Amino acid sequence: MKFLTILLLCTVVPVSLSAQEKFAEGFYVTESNDTVRGFIQYKNAYHKNFSFRPQAEGVTQVLFPEGVKKFGITGDRTFERVSYVKEKGAPETTVFGTVLIDGEVDLLAYERVFLMGSSEKKYYGLVRQKSSDDALAMKNYQANTGVLN
């Protein structure tokens, strides 16, 4: 009987612990450039959406790239809305990319792709192939966007 009780506790407790959501202080920027502060659910990937609460124990809202320019977790990562074409001829995809470098030319990461560009121009995926020439890739980027010419 003790064995059965222990076995039952070992299966129920981990399930209830994994169901808890961790929220951290953060912000997001709306289409009209308003900054909204609150709490963002902490998770590994935020590519298509994120969960936001105005207060720590408030109602959770799920926000998507269509209504949010950027968001971040205070003291941690920042994410920016980015639209790019995965493959030639494919439709444009809008997701949240992790900001690695924020400047005149931004560098973002999305899944296993690095995206270089700016919100005013366009973002381009940096693809490394066996015969890839970094100088040629930079020249192609500059020719297509007019940045750094």
Side-chain angles (χ1 to χ4, degrees):
M1 187 64 179
K2 281 185 179 183
F3 176 73
L4 184 59
T5 305
I6 291 172
L7 181 64
L8 183 61
L9 282 174
C10 288
T11 56
V12 171
V13 172
V15 170
S16 65
L17 288 176
S18 67
Q20 293 179 358
E21 301 170 335
K22 181 179 177 185
F23 280 77
E25 284 188 48
F27 69 93
Y28 73 90
V29 178
T30 66
E31 287 291 327
S32 58
N33 290 323
D34 293 327
T35 301
V36 180
R37 300 206 175 275
F39 296 85
I40 295 174
Q41 184 179 8
Y42 196 85
K43 60 183 184 177
N44 290 333
Y46 298 96
H47 304 307
K48 299 187 191 293
N49 61 51
F50 66 96
S51 298
F52 177 82
R53 289 182 181 167
Q55 292 88 26
E57 298 300 323
V59 176
T60 302
Q61 307 166 358
V62 178
L63 301 172
F64 297 89
E66 292 76 23
V68 175
K69 285 185 172 184
K70 70 177 359 180
F71 74 95
I73 297 174
T74 305
D76 198 0
R77 298 173 289 173
T78 301
F79 301 86
E80 191 170 309
R81 177 180 64 198
V82 59
S83 296
Y84 80 104
V85 177
K86 286 185 178 183
E87 298 172 359
K88 194 171 186 174
E92 192 171 67
T93 303
T94 302
V95 296
F96 289 117
T98 306
V99 177
L100 302 175
I101 298 175
D102 189 14
E104 187 175 334
V105 176
D106 300 330
L107 180 64
L108 291 90
Y110 167 69
E111 291 182 344
R112 294 183 177 196
V113 176
F114 290 107
L115 303 167
M116 184 171 78
S118 69
S119 56
E120 293 82 33
K121 302 278 184 174
K122 283 190 171 185
Y123 285 94
Y124 294 90
L126 301 177
V127 179
R128 182 131 177 120
Q129 299 171 344
K130 286 184 180 180
S131 61
S132 177
D133 179 1
D134 294 338
L136 181 60
M138 181 55 87
K139 282 183 181 180
N140 287 338
Y141 172 76
Q142 290 172 345
N144 288 326
T145 63
V147 174
L148 302 174
N149 276 341

